Amino acid sequence: MSTAREVPTGGEPDLAVVAAGFADPRRIRVLMALADGRALPAGRLAAEAGVAASTISNHLSRLRDQGLVIAEQHGRHRYYRLSTPDVDGVLEALARLAPREPITSLRQHTRAHALRKGRTCYQHLAGQLGVDVFQALLDRRWVVGGDGHHHPDTDDRLSAPGHAIDYRLTPEGAAALSDWGLPQRLLRVDTTLRYCTDWTEQAHHLAGAHGSALATFLFEQGWIARGTTPRSVAVTESGRPHLDRLCDTA
């Protein structure tokens, strides 16, 4: 199994070496396709990222050399994944700084709409779906500590992990999520929950281990499924009643 490039101690970080990996739009698309935490083979990755199959190996080799992706051997096949969640953090930060491309085609509009409706932010849910689910946890008082909204007067930034609010599970929330099969180690009421400020919704979605476990549960139940647009997530027909019930606190 390949490992990420080791950074020697001492001296200033050579940012230009790593930044070069993000400087090519094709490599950005490869990284974005891996940003939901999956490991994908080169052929599937080329298709999802919209990169020519004849060049995907070169791009993956470059990204491996820069420590941004790692390769895992599974039988006869090699799978690629992001080397660390920090890579996805850089992508989200760049999205916050980058100018928006004009939408000039129906395909671009469809993709943008799909990502706003629901997407993965590394291994947890983001977009409107992620925000709605987190708001439902707050409305049901399964989670307390804040109102789920981004407040510009705090130190939190858009499209970045939040630090200004101490969200915590309540005993009722721990019991409910235990019924959903979340690991007991995650159900302590004295642990601060991680969250992100969603860049499209400008509100909070659940992140960290709790966010990943919740997303895994929803995928395994078949309540949500991956869309055709890389990173997009949609509510399934069978999952709609369950999520409507979760979000209905009347």
Side-chain angles (χ1 to χ4, degrees):
M1 180 185 297
S2 300
T3 58
R5 175 175 50 82
E6 293 184 0
V7 179
T9 58
E12 293 294 325
D14 193 348
L15 299 180
V17 171
V18 176
F22 298 90
D24 186 297
R26 293 164 296 184
R27 290 197 292 275
I28 284 283
R29 292 200 298 272
V30 169
L31 295 174
M32 291 290 284
L34 295 173
D36 59 6
R38 289 179 296 165
L40 297 175
R44 173 76 179 276
L45 188 54
E48 290 209 12
V51 175
S54 59
T55 64
I56 188 66
S57 294
N58 291 334
H59 291 300
L60 288 169
S61 178
R62 182 75 177 271
L63 292 170
R64 289 180 65 193
D65 289 344
Q66 291 159 335
L68 300 177
V69 303
I70 58 175
E72 304 172 349
Q73 197 71 34
H74 294 275
R76 296 167 48 196
H77 301 286
R78 178 173 290 181
Y79 288 73
Y80 297 86
R81 68 167 68 248
L82 296 186
S83 60
T84 166
D86 289 339
V87 178
D88 186 52
V90 173
L91 291 171
E92 292 284 335
L94 290 174
R96 186 174 68 251
L97 295 172
R100 298 285 178 237
E101 294 182 350
I103 295 178
T104 59
S105 68
L106 177 61
R107 181 179 180 182
Q108 286 178 304
H109 173 77
T110 301
R111 175 184 172 86
H113 179 73
L115 291 177
R116 179 169 185 181
K117 289 289 289 182
R119 64 184 183 277
T120 49
C121 178
Y122 201 61
Q123 293 179 322
H124 54 264
L125 292 179
Q128 183 180 342
L129 176 60
V131 166
D132 285 350
V133 168
F134 188 52
Q135 189 62 55
L137 302 184
L138 291 168
D139 291 343
R140 287 183 173 274
R141 303 290 293 174
W142 292 0
V143 172
V144 294
D147 60 9
H149 301 295
H150 171 60
H151 297 279
D153 57 343
T154 68
D155 293 333
D156 284 350
R157 298 174 299 159
L158 292 174
S159 185
H163 305 285
I165 299 174
D166 288 337
Y167 287 112
R168 296 177 186 273
L169 282 176
T170 64
E172 294 79 11
L177 295 181
S178 177
D179 290 342
W180 282 9
L182 267 67
Q184 290 298 316
R185 61 182 173 79
L186 299 180
L187 302 180
R188 296 175 52 182
V189 298
D190 59 348
T191 299
T192 301
L193 304 178
R194 293 178 60 187
Y195 68 96
C196 291
T197 303
D198 198 276
W199 65 272
T200 59
E201 304 309 299
Q202 300 191 17
H204 299 158
H205 62 248
L206 187 62
H210 294 82
S212 297
L214 183 57
T216 297
F217 168 81
L218 296 176
F219 276 121
E220 289 179 345
Q221 293 298 308
W223 296 1
I224 60 174
R226 301 188 190 280
T228 55
T229 296
R231 297 184 69 193
S232 67
V233 176
V235 178
T236 65
E237 184 176 349
S238 61
R240 174 62 63 189
H242 297 283
L243 290 174
D244 283 349
R245 208 156 38 239
L246 172 67
C247 296
D248 181 9
T249 58

